[in-house]
Amino acid sequence: MLNTRQEQLLNLLKQKKTIAIPHLADLLSYSASTIRRDLILLEEMGLVKRDKGNVSIIVTTTKEKHFKLRNQENISIKQTLAQFATDFITDGSSMFLDSSSTVLQLCPLLNNYKNITVVTNGIEVAHSLIEHTACEVFVVGGYAREGSSGIVGESALEYIKQFNLDLCIMSCAGVDHKGFTDPSMQQACTKKQMCEQSRLTLMLCDHTKFLNNYKFNLASFNQVDYLLTDQEPTSSIFEAARQNNCEILWPH
């Protein structure tokens, strides 16, 4: 339960959205050390996010960004994560690829391998694989949602259940100490099924998704074998992963 000071801090962040951490102490008339302790607690609770001297409120949302917008964000970071994922791929690998803009960056890299089998619910992912690689590609059937490149629905889940593959490579919209989340229930269910039908699951998640929390649970840490990211995660995420044998890898 939050105390009065912590509630004041959160209310201020709701109004300002993002505030420089040193400025918070002045605005609330508390010592810098007190504010710092409060922020650590609030971050561990998944309510705020600290980054480069600033703190911002975390808003839980069900709204999913249009795929074209997501595909234009943090392209170089997504390419780095995609390259990172190739460490787990060998000739003859079979894998699920989700419809995320991060996983899309992996597609051209698969041309460096032989006899790759891919099952995907991503329209853009399938198109890229067919155009740039010699992979054997299976495309999930189902419902194509407006503004999304993903095929979802009950028929998609039933199709995925036919396969048992080496890898599941996917992304998420948010991650905190409770696990991985997504704004779309249908996407979350589809990715869960892919995860269940795989021997090894890789989650590609850049630092901008740390402590973001969305309405629908995609996977817990004990369902993901490796979290591939671009920066060291927060202590709460790191500890949750450690307790559930999910290994976190990032460039050192």
Side-chain angles (χ1 to χ4, degrees), residues 63-73 101 145-149:
K63 186 175 181 180
E64 182 179 13
K65 285 185 179 179
H66 195 289
F67 182 82
K68 288 184 178 179
L69 294 177
R70 288 186 284 117
N71 199 35
Q72 295 169 5
E73 296 175 338
S101 58
R145 298 164 51 248
E146 181 181 1
S148 171
S149 180

Side-chain angles (χ1 to χ4, degrees), residues 4-246:
T4 302
R5 183 184 63 251
Q6 292 158 354
E7 289 179 352
Q8 288 176 341
L9 198 160
L10 278 179
N11 287 333
L12 183 60
L13 284 170
K14 287 176 183 177
Q15 297 172 24
K16 303 288 187 180
K17 305 303 181 186
T18 300
I19 303 176
I21 294 174
H23 191 40
L24 268 177
D26 296 332
L27 290 173
L28 296 173
S29 299
Y30 292 109
S31 68
S33 60
T34 297
I35 294 298
R36 201 158 40 241
R37 286 194 298 270
D38 285 343
L39 290 177
I40 291 172
L41 174 64
L42 294 173
E43 187 172 48
E44 289 177 348
M45 294 174 67
L47 299 175
V48 303
K49 180 178 180 180
R50 294 181 295 165
D51 184 43
K52 298 179 180 178
N54 294 318
V55 60
S56 56
I57 191 82
I58 293 176
V59 180
T60 300
T61 180
T62 59
K63 186 175 181 180
E64 182 179 13
K65 285 185 179 179
H66 195 289
F67 182 82
K68 288 184 178 179
L69 294 177
R70 288 186 284 117
N71 199 35
Q72 295 169 5
E73 296 175 338
N74 302 318
I75 294 176
S76 62
I77 294 176
K78 292 173 182 177
Q79 290 172 338
T80 297
L81 297 182
Q83 184 64 54
F84 214 173
T86 61
D87 290 344
F88 296 84
I89 299 171
T90 60
D91 289 347
S93 291
S94 61
M95 68 195 73
F96 289 105
L97 299 182
D98 75 358
S99 60
S100 66
S101 58
T102 301
V103 169
L104 180 62
Q105 298 299 324
L106 174 64
C107 295
L109 303 180
L110 295 181
N111 199 39
N112 298 321
Y113 302 90
K114 297 178 181 178
N115 302 318
I116 298 294
T117 299
V118 174
V119 178
T120 182
N121 75 317
I123 298 171
E124 294 296 332
V125 168
H127 182 268
S128 180
L129 289 170
I130 293 168
E131 185 168 327
H132 299 295
T133 77
C135 295
E136 182 180 33
V137 182
F138 294 85
V139 183
V140 171
Y143 170 61
R145 298 164 51 248
E146 181 181 1
S148 171
S149 180
I151 300 172
V152 295
E154 190 62 34
S155 57
L157 300 180
E158 291 302 315
Y159 187 84
I160 291 168
K161 289 177 183 178
Q162 299 178 80
F163 297 89
N164 289 289
L165 306 185
D166 300 321
L167 296 168
C168 173
I169 305 178
M170 60 183 177
S171 187
C172 63
V175 56
D176 61 14
H177 67 285
K178 296 179 181 179
F180 306 91
T181 55
D182 196 273
S184 164
M185 181 175 66
Q186 292 176 314
Q187 283 281 25
C189 289
T190 303
K191 295 181 184 188
K192 278 182 183 179
Q193 194 63 57
M194 288 180 172
C195 183
E196 290 179 6
Q197 305 299 128
S198 307
R199 285 179 278 278
L200 193 74
T201 296
L202 311 180
M203 184 69 73
L204 279 54
C205 177
D206 69 70
H207 72 280
T208 64
K209 300 174 181 179
F210 293 166
L211 301 180
N212 288 346
N213 180 270
Y214 290 83
K215 190 172 182 178
F216 300 104
N217 293 322
L218 163 58
S220 57
F221 280 102
N222 62 11
Q223 295 172 305
V224 173
D225 298 287
Y226 292 92
L227 169 56
L228 309 185
T229 187
D230 61 314
Q231 292 184 17
E232 183 176 1
T234 63
S235 59
S236 60
I237 293 174
F238 195 91
E239 182 60 21
R242 186 192 66 80
Q243 291 179 359
N244 289 280
N245 297 315
C246 173

